[in-house]
Amino acid sequence: MRLFRYVRNGLERMLAMERFAEMGLYEDRRARERARQLLLRCLTPGQRAEFERTGTFKVRGRSGQHYRITYGTTANIEVLAPSGTVCRRLCAGPVGVPIPAMMLAQKLMLETQEAEFVRIAARGPGTTPAAGFPQFSG
Amino acid sequence: MGAMNEFKVLDPNGHTRTSWDTTSAEEVENARRVFNDLMSRGYRAFRVDTGAGEGQPRSTFDPKDKETLLVPPIRAG
């Protein structure tokens, strides 16, 4: 009876994890690893070294602004002041992808479509108010 | 057989790959159809140069692009 309960509980946990995965709440390890490998391939050598060392990497927008993309799902982009301190956080990205894939999307956007990305992020509650941050017109 | 180019669509599995033989009109057309469908749904395309770690935004399908990433719509969090 105890063994039956043990097996049943295990199966229920597995089914719950599958449901979470379908809902995007539980990240599949294989998916995360695939996304991580793709991210590593798409980083510059400097970014790759930084990411492997710290789990973060810096990008530079067309405006000259520097950002640090950190490993996380919420407000994971730090807007860096010239001194290197964090003056603001941005929260925007694609939904339903593993974290490394989100970081890759954020890198591509910030490096090539910075103004648009910042405008989208500004609408979200996870983005902190601007302070000493370049404003984009248009 | 010509060069095999591909795009990768970021998704819950990490990414899903679509590749085409550049000399096959049928494969190119199929890839173009998938690309246009995703773009109409708000995806963004970036041609990537993995050696340099750089991406170039793309608004139209170019079968000659070796590797393209398709990113789902960006939403504020």
Side-chain angles (χ1 to χ4, degrees), chain A residues 58-118:
Chain A
K58 288 195 223 34
V59 301
R60 185 171 180 271
R62 292 260 161 92
S63 70
Q65 175 68 53
H66 287 86
Y67 304 86
R68 184 187 293 119
I69 300 178
T70 66
Y71 195 95
T73 54
T74 309
N76 71 311
I77 300 171
E78 299 172 346
V79 182
L80 302 175
S83 63
T85 58
V86 179
C87 61
R88 190 185 187 202
R89 286 176 196 280
L90 302 179
C91 190
V95 178
V97 299
I99 291 174
M102 188 181 77
M103 295 171 79
L104 174 55
Q106 291 168 333
K107 163 194 155 70
L108 292 169
M109 286 296 293
L110 283 169
E111 287 179 340
T112 64
Q113 298 175 354
E114 178 188 15
E116 193 181 349
F117 184 83
V118 171

Side-chain angles (χ1 to χ4, degrees), chain A residues 2-119:
Chain A
R2 202 177 289 170
L3 177 66
F4 171 74
R5 226 178 283 145
Y6 178 78
V7 171
R8 190 187 64 185
N9 288 345
L11 285 172
E12 281 176 354
R13 270 200 299 275
M14 280 169 61
L15 286 172
M17 282 164 73
E18 266 179 38
R19 277 199 297 272
F20 283 145
E22 283 165 13
M23 293 160 68
L25 298 175
Y26 168 76
E27 215 177 73
D28 182 276
R29 252 178 306 183
R30 281 165 304 184
R32 192 172 54 219
E33 184 53 29
R34 271 166 66 80
R36 185 173 170 280
Q37 291 302 325
L38 181 62
L39 171 65
L40 286 171
R41 284 186 59 232
C42 293
L43 296 177
T44 65
Q47 288 171 335
R48 195 176 306 131
E50 189 181 9
F51 179 66
E52 287 182 327
R53 201 175 59 249
T54 66
T56 73
F57 58 89
K58 288 195 223 34
V59 301
R60 185 171 180 271
R62 292 260 161 92
S63 70
Q65 175 68 53
H66 287 86
Y67 304 86
R68 184 187 293 119
I69 300 178
T70 66
Y71 195 95
T73 54
T74 309
N76 71 311
I77 300 171
E78 299 172 346
V79 182
L80 302 175
S83 63
T85 58
V86 179
C87 61
R88 190 185 187 202
R89 286 176 196 280
L90 302 179
C91 190
V95 178
V97 299
I99 291 174
M102 188 181 77
M103 295 171 79
L104 174 55
Q106 291 168 333
K107 163 194 155 70
L108 292 169
M109 286 296 293
L110 283 169
E111 287 179 340
T112 64
Q113 298 175 354
E114 178 188 15
E116 193 181 349
F117 184 83
V118 171
R119 260 198 299 276

Side-chain angles (χ1 to χ4, degrees), chain A residues 34 41 91 93 107 116 125-126, chain B residues 13 15 44 50 53 67 75 77:
Chain A
R34 271 166 66 80
R41 284 186 59 232
C91 190
K107 163 194 155 70
E116 193 181 349
Chain B
N13 297 317
H15 61 264
R44 292 163 201 270
T50 52
E67 188 172 352
R75 302 198 194 291

Side-chain angles (χ1 to χ4, degrees), chain B residues 10-33:
Chain B
L10 303 189
D11 64 14
N13 297 317
H15 61 264
T16 299
R17 191 177 301 197
T18 296
S19 58
W20 62 92
D21 179 340
T22 52
T23 60
S24 164
E26 191 183 339
E27 289 185 22
V28 168
E29 200 43 48
N30 181 51
R32 186 191 309 279
R33 211 171 16 248

